[in-house]
Amino acid sequence: MGELSSQTVFISMNVLTDQDVQKYRDEGYLVLEGLLSPEECDALRERMSEIIEQMDVPEHCRIQFSTDHDEQLKKQGSADYFITSGDQIRFFFEKGVFDDKGEFIVPKEHSLNKIGHALHAYEPLFKAVTHSPKVQNLVKKLGLIYPVILQSMYIFKQPGIGGEVTPHQDATFLHTQPLGRVMGVWIALEDATLENGCLWFIPGSHHDGITRRMVRTPKGTFPLTDFIGREKTHDDKLFVPAPVKKGGAVLIHGEVVHRSAANTSDASRHVYTFHIMESQNTVWSPENWLQPTEELPFPSLYT
């Protein structure tokens, strides 16, 4: 199953310089090369192939994932399968991969948009990467005292059908008081290029606050989530691409505006990503779709 195991000893290293830290604070994101080795990336991909092979998806769970405002409400936020996935490993699909009877019309390994949201808790290989000394050291360099892990995802960006992710801010979905306490760690398990849908950012946009929030609706109402506010219209010329090679990572401030284009190439763009929150003097919004549970409180990154 590859060369990585849950007992793998990661080389402890400081991957961030003072200049890197300042760049992250100024621009709201930072590209790092070589966070994982090619062998570590291959082991995660191999394990994911095993998970997909064993996947048994109930008919009612064959929902499609989208970050478009209206489609989110209809197909994602309104689905109990999604809103209760914070402490589970569940499957979310690309558009157009099922026929009208709910059967796959593409190979199932090519059907998935993502798997989430608790790989970091229940899958030993992903847990080992998430808690690795390399990750811990870069987070410490950024000054986080009591970081906890909110969620994790494996994102596929399938060749030819990997959908566009429209401009958004992670704090729309993962809201805290005060703002500025959430960071994404986005690890490329394959090269992320202009052709297969790398990330694009508006540098410095994390200084402008947020204009939209996804919130839980009161119990007993439908849909299960709703949006407050709307995403601003962003000038396309302000976006800067952030390609990264296999094993590299992108640190993403919770309020920086980012997007990715559809994958129209013949190469996939597999990613393992997770979100961290500084929990010291931070209030996690009870209105967020994602909530800690008795089965899975938000675990400390440093343990």
Side-chain angles (χ1 to χ4, degrees), residues 150 171 174-182 277 282-285 288:
L150 302 175
L174 308 173
H175 192 268
T176 60
Q177 288 288 348
L179 287 170
R181 300 305 181 97
V182 172
M277 177 184 72
T282 304
V283 177
W284 178 252
S285 173
N288 287 336

Side-chain angles (χ1 to χ4, degrees), residues 248-264:
V250 187
L251 306 184
I252 306 172
H253 190 284
E255 287 140 75
V256 72
V257 177
H258 57 291
R259 64 171 175 84
S260 66
N263 182 2
T264 57

Side-chain angles (χ1 to χ4, degrees), residues 100-216:
D100 55 8
K101 297 178 181 177
E103 300 298 327
F104 288 111
I105 58 175
V106 300
K108 65 179 180 180
E109 64 269 20
H110 295 158
S111 67
L112 286 154
N113 174 288
K114 71 172 186 177
I115 293 178
H117 290 91
L119 291 162
H120 64 280
Y122 302 131
E123 278 295 323
L125 300 188
F126 292 91
K127 184 175 184 177
V129 167
T130 308
H131 291 272
S132 69
K134 287 189 281 193
V135 171
Q136 291 179 354
N137 284 342
L138 69 85
V139 171
K140 287 175 182 176
K141 183 71 175 180
L142 288 169
L144 278 71
I145 307 300
Y146 296 113
V148 296
I149 305 157
L150 302 175
Q151 64 168 5
S152 55
M153 297 177 284
Y154 191 104
I155 303 173
F156 295 86
K157 205 73 164 180
Q158 303 285 3
I161 63 170
E164 173 191 16
V165 178
T166 55
H168 67 284
Q169 298 161 289
D170 292 345
T172 290
F173 310 95
L174 308 173
H175 192 268
T176 60
Q177 288 288 348
L179 287 170
R181 300 305 181 97
V182 172
M183 179 179 74
V185 181
W186 192 96
I187 305 172
L189 304 182
E190 304 176 283
D191 290 351
T193 67
L194 295 175
E195 292 74 30
N196 71 359
C198 70
L199 295 174
W200 293 67
F201 293 89
I202 300 181
S205 55
H206 61 304
H207 297 303
D208 298 332
I210 65 172
T211 60
R212 184 175 70 138
R213 285 188 58 196
M214 181 183 184
V215 298
R216 287 179 175 242

Side-chain angles (χ1 to χ4, degrees), residues 42-54:
D42 292 344
L44 293 177
R45 292 189 60 200
E46 208 168 309
R47 175 56 189 148
M48 185 51 62
S49 293
E50 295 173 358
I51 292 171
I52 295 168
E53 185 60 34
Q54 298 161 8

